[in-house]
Amino acid sequence: MRYTLPVFAVVATAAIGAAAIGAPQMGVVSADLKAAVAAPTRTPANIARDKYRHPAETLAFFGVRPTDTVVELWPGGGWYTEILAPYLKKGGTLYAAAPWPNGVKGVQTKQAQDAATYGAVKLAAFPAKEGETGVPAGSADKVLTFRNIHNWKMGAEDRSAEAFKQIFAMLKPGGTLGIVEHRLPETADAALEKNSGYLKVSTVRKLAEDAGFRFVAASEINANPKDTTDYPKGVWTLPPNYAEKDVDRAKYEAIGESDRMTLKFRKPNPSVRGG
């Protein structure tokens, strides 16, 4: 069985209260957030993927407010940056944090092309190495990572524990860590986590909780029951990558993008009863 919940359902910890278990804690999609998702500066090809990524509902679930200091980890070409930058432009702050310096080049390109929209985005190293400038400790209200954790675990060196340690440090007490990641069934061989691009929910939760985070809730907004997760070339077989190119392309297009966990964690706040 998958480590999942019914669509749109959530699971909350006892600290949130028994009455919250199974409640539709989707979050309210505000007018400001709707406007950001509908921003005319977004790339048409990125907009076409909203049906798989549900950005408004996802950001609402994470509780992202337009006055927050938000860190987007490993933004790549800036799919979510195109929404977060206009959303936070007036009253918030957006950091794009990635391996320095190549990991932020996608955002730098956007800044060069459209300074009015992206000029205020701050750039930082993540995971920050000695001598590099990372996100200031205790400065972020929200840290968001979209389909990145598998990259931290894969390869010769597993960097995931250090990554979560740095995330914990950059958040304010009471701050939120929001995660979207390709989901591997709990019954699958754990070895697949090293090369498939999929991770188990239990693996991600352990990484976060070992770093000091408390689990808050899970949403099925980014679930895809059509995804069997068992492709020879891993998650990259599915759109938008199509690792098999034209081989069975129609089949994979019909499946759509991957099945994804959507998890919310909180950094404990010692000054508040219950953290």
Side-chain angles (χ1 to χ4, degrees):
M1 294 180 63
R2 289 182 184 275
Y3 194 101
T4 62
L5 306 170
V7 176
F8 303 136
V10 297
V11 169
T13 58
I16 303 301
I21 297 178
Q25 294 186 12
M26 289 294 295
V28 176
V29 179
S30 66
D32 285 339
L33 185 50
K34 290 178 182 178
V37 172
T41 50
R42 292 189 67 202
T43 306
N46 286 349
I47 294 172
R49 295 164 73 180
D50 285 1
K51 63 183 179 180
Y52 302 120
R53 298 189 171 186
H54 314 98
E57 295 84 355
T58 299
L59 293 174
F61 174 68
F62 292 148
V64 180
R65 300 168 297 186
T67 55
D68 281 341
T69 293
V70 177
V71 180
E72 182 186 3
L73 300 178
W74 288 31
W79 196 95
Y80 259 98
T81 313
E82 289 188 353
I83 298 169
L84 290 167
Y87 183 58
L88 299 168
K89 182 179 176 181
K90 292 182 179 180
T93 300
L94 176 61
Y95 280 89
W100 197 263
N102 292 336
V104 297
K105 285 186 175 179
V107 175
Q108 287 176 318
T109 297
K110 289 188 176 296
Q111 290 179 319
Q113 295 172 343
D114 184 359
T117 302
Y118 304 104
V121 177
K122 297 184 177 182
L123 307 178
F126 177 84
K129 300 176 183 177
E130 186 175 353
E132 295 178 341
T133 302
V135 177
S139 65
D141 298 292
K142 308 288 191 303
V143 175
L144 308 177
T145 172
F146 303 100
R147 307 168 315 282
N148 293 315
I149 301 173
H150 63 278
N151 291 310
W152 307 341
K153 286 194 68 67
M154 290 170 59
E157 181 183 359
D158 185 338
R159 299 169 291 173
S160 55
E162 175 61 23
F164 274 84
K165 178 182 176 181
Q166 292 193 21
I167 294 169
F168 190 85
M170 66 179 69
L171 275 165
K172 298 175 182 177
T176 295
L177 166 60
I179 293 173
V180 177
E181 181 56 89
H182 310 296
R183 178 166 49 191
L184 186 70
E186 290 296 309
T187 54
D189 184 351
L192 292 172
E193 295 186 318
K194 291 294 292 181
N195 54 31
S196 70
Y198 291 94
L199 296 177
K200 298 182 181 184
V201 171
S202 59
T203 297
V204 175
R205 282 195 57 173
K206 186 175 188 305
L207 282 167
E209 291 166 357
D210 284 353
F213 286 102
R214 293 182 182 175
F215 175 67
V216 175
S219 171
E220 290 296 277
I221 185 61
N222 294 304
N224 180 3
K226 295 180 182 179
D227 180 11
T228 59
T229 75
D230 58 354
Y231 317 107
K233 294 187 178 179
V235 71
W236 303 279
T237 304
L238 298 177
N241 298 96
Y242 293 109
E244 298 278 10
K245 297 184 179 180
D246 290 333
V247 176
D248 291 329
R249 188 181 181 94
K251 169 187 172 181
Y252 298 129
E253 185 175 14
I255 292 172
E257 294 194 13
S258 67
D259 178 54
R260 293 162 185 167
M261 65 183 87
T262 305
L263 308 177
K264 181 163 61 175
F265 296 87
R266 182 178 68 253
K267 179 176 179 175
N269 186 348
S271 67
V272 176
R273 184 176 180 181

PDB file of all heavy atoms in Angstrom, residues 154-158 194:
ATOM      1  N   MET A 154      20.740  11.358  -4.099  1.00  0.00           N
ATOM      2  CA  MET A 154      21.360  10.584  -5.169  1.00  0.00           C
ATOM      3  C   MET A 154      22.835  10.945  -5.351  1.00  0.00           C
ATOM      4  O   MET A 154      23.303  11.958  -4.861  1.00  0.00           O
ATOM      5  CB  MET A 154      20.596  10.812  -6.475  1.00  0.00           C
ATOM      6  CG  MET A 154      19.205  10.192  -6.488  1.00  0.00           C
ATOM      7  SD  MET A 154      18.210  10.709  -7.910  1.00  0.00           S
ATOM      8  CE  MET A 154      19.230  10.153  -9.266  1.00  0.00           C
ATOM      9  N   GLY A 155      23.534  10.110  -6.052  1.00  0.00           N
ATOM     10  CA  GLY A 155      24.948  10.366  -6.324  1.00  0.00           C
ATOM     11  C   GLY A 155      25.844   9.697  -5.306  1.00  0.00           C
ATOM     12  O   GLY A 155      25.400   8.974  -4.410  1.00  0.00           O
ATOM     13  N   ALA A 156      27.118   9.967  -5.445  1.00  0.00           N
ATOM     14  CA  ALA A 156      28.109   9.309  -4.579  1.00  0.00           C
ATOM     15  C   ALA A 156      28.008   9.767  -3.136  1.00  0.00           C
ATOM     16  O   ALA A 156      28.330   9.019  -2.213  1.00  0.00           O
ATOM     17  CB  ALA A 156      29.516   9.584  -5.116  1.00  0.00           C
ATOM     18  N   GLU A 157      27.569  11.004  -2.923  1.00  0.00           N
ATOM     19  CA  GLU A 157      27.483  11.557  -1.568  1.00  0.00           C
ATOM     20  C   GLU A 157      26.060  11.956  -1.243  1.00  0.00           C
ATOM     21  O   GLU A 157      25.450  12.752  -1.961  1.00  0.00           O
ATOM     22  CB  GLU A 157      28.403  12.784  -1.444  1.00  0.00           C
ATOM     23  CG  GLU A 157      28.405  13.411  -0.057  1.00  0.00           C
ATOM     24  CD  GLU A 157      29.264  14.648   0.009  1.00  0.00           C
ATOM     25  OE1 GLU A 157      29.872  15.017  -1.011  1.00  0.00           O
ATOM     26  OE2 GLU A 157      29.326  15.267   1.092  1.00  0.00           O
ATOM     27  N   ASP A 158      25.517  11.400  -0.170  1.00  0.00           N
ATOM     28  CA  ASP A 158      24.176  11.742   0.285  1.00  0.00           C
ATOM     29  C   ASP A 158      24.256  13.037   1.095  1.00  0.00           C
ATOM     30  O   ASP A 158      24.813  13.072   2.188  1.00  0.00           O
ATOM     31  CB  ASP A 158      23.622  10.603   1.157  1.00  0.00           C
ATOM     32  CG  ASP A 158      22.166  10.831   1.566  1.00  0.00           C
ATOM     33  OD1 ASP A 158      21.710  11.990   1.550  1.00  0.00           O
ATOM     34  OD2 ASP A 158      21.494   9.840   1.922  1.00  0.00           O
ATOM     35  N   LYS A 194      17.825   5.572  -4.736  1.00  0.00           N
ATOM     36  CA  LYS A 194      19.144   6.042  -5.157  1.00  0.00           C
ATOM     37  C   LYS A 194      19.209   6.392  -6.645  1.00  0.00           C
ATOM     38  O   LYS A 194      20.141   7.071  -7.079  1.00  0.00           O
ATOM     39  CB  LYS A 194      20.215   4.995  -4.846  1.00  0.00           C
ATOM     40  CG  LYS A 194      20.490   4.805  -3.365  1.00  0.00           C
ATOM     41  CD  LYS A 194      21.102   6.045  -2.747  1.00  0.00           C
ATOM     42  CE  LYS A 194      22.515   6.296  -3.278  1.00  0.00           C
ATOM     43  NZ  LYS A 194      23.131   7.505  -2.644  1.00  0.00           N
TER      44      LYS A 194
END
